[in-house]
Amino acid sequence: MPLRETLVRVDADLAAGRVPVARQRLRGLISSFPHDLSLRRRLAEVYRLYGDAAEAGRWMYLEEDRNAEETAVFETRYGSPGWRMKALAWHGPEAKAATTFAEGQLVAVRTACAEKLGHPVDWNDPTSYRDDLEGEYEVPSGPWTAGGVLAGAGCLVAAVVFLAIWVNGLVALFD
């Protein structure tokens, strides 16, 4: 699906309260377009709806106007340079970054990982930094946040409304 069409669907998903669907679409777009910083910014906004500062910090990490608290939480959650490389989901040379700041961030993470491991690492070769991924990251399991509860409730309401419309359509079909 083309980028523009997918972004229209993301907007529709968000308007309808389908936050998890919008998040998945944006994650897919970042996979396809890893150098597009605007997609990363949009995904950070979605994670803010969940109240997940670490993931918002993750996706804003390459932006100069990022939130310092979110960045710190991201760096804590993804405690090693190898985990940060994996989390940033970057592909290709740092020179493809849209801004000088983003390029500098990418170089700093890769350099820190290479120094820690004692050999060169490459964004395109996860095996080159695999040794830095051993046991330092745990899936987050913190308390529910107000944003997360509201996002979940919105999705539930949207699902109930959809189901009601669908059932009414079936009833009308058999009348």
Side-chain angles (χ1 to χ4, degrees), residues 83-124:
W83 276 114
R84 289 184 196 130
M85 283 185 73
K86 183 174 175 65
L88 290 172
W90 185 264
H91 299 287
E94 292 99 359
K96 287 192 172 190
T99 67
T100 304
F101 182 83
E103 183 178 359
Q105 288 296 105
L106 292 164
V107 167
V109 171
R110 183 184 45 78
T111 301
C113 189
E115 287 174 358
K116 181 175 181 186
L117 293 173
H119 62 79
V121 296
D122 188 320
W123 291 101
N124 292 335

Side-chain angles (χ1 to χ4, degrees), residues 154-167:
C155 291
L156 181 61
V157 168
V160 168
V161 169
F162 173 78
L163 184 60
I165 291 169
W166 182 71
V167 168

Side-chain angles (χ1 to χ4, degrees), residues 52-97:
D52 191 336
E55 292 302 303
R58 171 186 182 182
W59 298 109
M60 284 294 290
Y61 198 73
L62 303 180
E63 296 285 359
E64 195 164 7
D65 66 339
R66 64 194 183 167
N67 177 296
E69 288 179 31
E70 291 174 347
T71 300
V73 176
F74 162 70
E75 289 175 338
T76 299
R77 180 178 290 173
Y78 297 88
S80 73
W83 276 114
R84 289 184 196 130
M85 283 185 73
K86 183 174 175 65
L88 290 172
W90 185 264
H91 299 287
E94 292 99 359
K96 287 192 172 190

